[in-house]
Amino acid sequence: METIRGTIDHIIYKNEKNGFTVMQLVENETICVGNLAMTEAGETVELTGEFTFHATYGHQFKVESFQTVEPEAGVDIERYLASGAIKGIGAALAKKIVDRFGTDTFRVMEEEPERLSEIKGISDRMAMEISDQINRKRDYRRAILFMQRFGISLSLATKIYTYYGEEIYEILDTNPYRLAEDIAGVGFLTADEIAVKAGIRRNSEFRIRCGIRHILLQAAQEGHTCLPRELAVERSVELLGTDQTGVEKGIMDLVLERKLILHENEGKEMVWLSRYYYMELRTAALLKKLDLAIEETDEDIALDLSIIERELTMELEESQREAVKNAVRHGVFILTGGPGTGKTTTINAIIRLFERQHKTIFLAAPTGRAAKRMTEMTGTEARTIHRMLEVNGGAEEGTVGMFERNESRPLEADVIIVDEMSMVDISLMSALLKAVPIGARLILSGDANQLPSVGPGSVLKDLIKSNAFVMTRLKTIFRQAEGSDIVQNAHAINEGKDVDLEKKSKDFFFLKRYEVDDIIRLTVRLVRDELPGFVGASSMDIQVLTPTRKGLLAVGRLNTILQSNLNPADAKKNEIKQGERLFREGDKVMQNRNNYKRDWEIKSKYNYTIEAGSGIFNGDLGVIRRIDLYNRTVTVEFDEERISTYEEKELEELELAYALTIHKSQGSEYPAVVIPLIKGSRLLMNRNLLYTAVTRARKCVCLMGDEKVFHEMKDNTLEQERFSGLLSRLLEMEN
């Protein structure tokens, strides 16, 4: 390692989020690269690192660590002040100040700022503003360096200081667990690591309360909106390594502060994070408020339907006609049914009828792919629910103001139709209902036998179980679907009936393989060589679906293998590594978390921005279009032609998507799916999972593995229990 000292001539590039900086020193015009946040042109710095040679950009000094030092010479002080670092001081004024105070300039600015007004052009007010800027910069640097002693990264330290300011010293000294409550991206485990370095006791009340909240947040990631009190206590004791008495007291303290809610649910005392309890309560109340009866005569509806049937050159089945009538006559209506039962046809008829009544109709779905498919099937534009509600990129997830559309500014629609409702979690449902105006019809469509939402809650199943709203369940498989073994076998799986795996089908295959290596080789061959021509699609459009993130057929392992075969290394394709993962131009990727602040834009063929917005969400699929090795950025094009650029440290939000877990495939449809199966957890390898995987395919399903595993999954009706309170809240309102 070498140490060099110099004055920053100018900043060539700076990433404000992660601190990566490219700058040039005055001395020898040395180019320096590294994490150099808090540096500005004109400052004097001491840098530790090593000289390297970059094939494109030449000789550079790669910085490992640095510190700013006060300029010692008057010329260096003048250069710093003239750089624009201090608002209001330009080159001429900088010279006057240094001519007057020389090397004592900074001391005067900090300790005797009123003396600056001795210089012509500086008023008393301006003198104090200059001093304030100098002190703020000094305080910011001091706080960042202080937080780095606790292992807090630069980007996180900046976020923390922005939120707390000078209060951060007291917080880290007394209760670092406040960070987990106040700062997005800081959880219990991070706060706990900081607390250990700060010397906080392991049995601290702050630690216990933060740990309890962490357990309930973890439960939300598993799909629960609440937990039985006994289970919450048990998990908290295990996490904290403390006694039950302390945890029980922590729960009651949080209840008294209204941060937790205790309530009986179906004879069991349950504990909620208050936000989820009120989301469920609000959802039940708003649905009941929207569920108005609307007078429409049978004759008027029948007349409209006869005209629509002629226009669509088809005849609706009786249950479909019933569904249309229910949609017209009720403020809230639920449409459900399996594949091939005519949900799309029914929705089309509902749309056409409301169009005849000159109603404004909005169509929405939880994901970009589901919205795109809805648009293709109905001929009417559909959007994601997030886009319909107009995500506010300035707000954190779950906060007031996350969506522009709400009770203060409701959606300007008479009819709102939401498809793929099985994917909608309680947070999104609560936000949607706040934006639905009283008097509008809300039509919710979905297959309750699909996997539940990735987020917390079991919204569609709870709505159906409650019998609180009018519902039509479509059961008849229509002629055009009768010839599809995908549809027939999906229904057989759902009903637990036998599936003939020996049948030579045109769209449903089971290939027996018993060794993992054989399964993987066959998966690659099918996706790369055989299925594209068979279904008339590219290999990138064919989706591998796996039940698990762990084991020999884990999604990560499959993605690495598929990447090397479908998008191999090429000198013409840039690559970038993030941890153990490698991303390459042309890779198929998926967003793995909700990021309401992530900017995107849609561009014309002439590269003009024609639409811009914010919000890329868990499960959104895209392709890496460009990797900029100099700026260390990755540009991804997602569904709906939305383009978003990721900084290097943000790549943890992305993962390869040649293979997906079946859970992450919800709401999407692919020309063909390949499903490798080996024995796994009985709780996971169930009928629900198999049914969801099979129904993702439009033209071809190819399963492979041990046929015993297939039959075990089909016969296994065990599902992981989801703890939620929406059903109880709906039933309470019925009574």
Side-chain angles (χ1 to χ4, degrees), residues 6 24 48 77 80 94 163 335 475 480 530 598 632 713:
Q24 183 174 319
T48 301
I77 297 172
Y80 172 68
Y163 189 90
L335 177 67
K475 296 179 180 177
Q480 59 267 37
E530 296 184 13
R598 174 154 296 290
R632 309 295 288 175
M713 290 182 73

Side-chain angles (χ1 to χ4, degrees), residues 687-705:
R687 177 184 298 174
N688 199 219
L689 195 77
L690 183 60
Y691 173 76
T692 300
V694 167
T695 54
R696 298 307 88 207
R698 187 165 58 247
K699 294 182 180 180
C700 181
V701 171
C702 186
L703 298 112
M704 67 187 76

